């Protein structure tokens, strides 16, 4: 397996534009996580899917952020409209569901987002 | 209050030194994870453990379930060990510590 695949690796956009980040989890994993990492706050969980269903989205900053998982092999994180304070590295990670045994967490390489 | 607390926040060591990073958690967990992130790099899972001790090369991870405490040890540290080490506790989701930034000086 190629691991968790995220795209794009880098995204530079202007304030007010829509940004879509993409993630392909490891085949067979049933949990998918979107995280944001900044120097100030470290790693923050944004949203967590289990079997394609959003379980916990309490970390989503505000209505400008939305995430979907239409099938087991694809998820998107969308920011509309984007703001400079959204600039961060966004990681996607997948695993078997916590508590079900082999729950080792695998991270994608991240998307470096810069909103000007 | 964070569910996972790490210490120290920053650590500088001379090459060859023995290093310990500590992690305490307040939630009941199914597993404790140690992750490594090199500057500008992705995040790699080093260990996942639910009891006892695991060893991989010069890295050793231990956990005490009763005390809700885990440690990551690095023996004979090397400059390439310089990275941020993150502790995470998993239950129904993952709870992350804020990370320990390690710098090993030649």
């Amino acid at each position: 397996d190629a691991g968790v695949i995220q795209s794009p690796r880098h995204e530079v956009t202007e304030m007010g534009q829509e940004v879509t980040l993409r993630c392909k989890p490891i085949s067979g994993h049933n949990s998918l996580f979107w995280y944001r990492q900044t120097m100030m706050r470290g790693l923050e969980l944004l949203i967590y899917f289990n079997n394609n269903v959003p379980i916990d989205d309490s970390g989503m900053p505000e209505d400008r952020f939305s995430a979907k998982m239409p099938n087991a092999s694809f998820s998107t994180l969308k920011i509309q409209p984007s703001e400079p304070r959204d600039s961060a590295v966004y990681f996607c990670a997948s695993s078997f569901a916590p508590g079900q045994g082999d729950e080792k967490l695998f991270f994608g390489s991240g998307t470096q987002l810069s909103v000007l | 209050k964070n569910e996972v607390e790490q210490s120290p926040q920053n650590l500088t060591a001379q090459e060859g030194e023995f290093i310990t990073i500590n992690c305490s958690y307040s939630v009941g967990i199914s597993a404790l994870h140690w992750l490594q992130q090199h500057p500008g790099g992705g995040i790699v899972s080093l260990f996942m453990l639910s009891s006892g001790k695991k060893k991989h090369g010069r890295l050793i991870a231990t956990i005490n379930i009763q005390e809700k405490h885990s440690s990551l040890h690095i023996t004979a540290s090397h400059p390439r060990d310089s990275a941020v080490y993150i502790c995470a506790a998993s239950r129904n989701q993952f709870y992350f510590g804020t990370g320990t930034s390690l710098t090993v000086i030649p």
Side-chain angles (χ1 to χ4, degrees), chain B:
Chain B
K1 182 186 181 299
N2 291 332
E3 289 84 358
V4 177
E5 300 278 355
Q6 272 185 251
S7 64
Q9 191 171 0
N10 296 286
L11 181 58
T12 300
Q14 288 292 134
E15 183 173 358
E17 284 186 6
F18 180 83
I19 289 164
T20 296
I21 300 171
N22 294 300
C23 175
S24 296
Y25 53 93
S26 58
V27 295
I29 65 169
S30 54
L32 191 288
H33 306 254
W34 283 101
L35 310 172
Q36 180 192 55
Q37 185 176 30
H38 280 101
I43 301 173
V44 175
S45 178
L46 296 175
F47 294 104
M48 183 187 78
L49 65 166
S50 53
S51 65
K53 179 170 77 173
K54 286 190 177 180
K55 185 176 188 292
H56 181 67
R58 295 180 293 105
L59 274 59
I60 303 167
T62 64
I63 188 169
N64 184 317
I65 298 294
Q66 286 73 30
E67 296 186 2
K68 293 186 175 178
H69 181 269
S70 176
S71 293
L72 176 68
H73 305 285
I74 304 175
T75 62
S77 60
H78 190 276
R80 64 174 174 266
D81 297 326
S82 298
V84 175
Y85 293 84
I86 303 168
C87 169
S90 58
R91 190 175 58 178
N92 53 351
Q93 59 150 299
F94 290 83
Y95 301 88
F96 290 89
T98 52
T100 295
S101 179
L102 171 65
T103 302
V104 181
I105 299 170

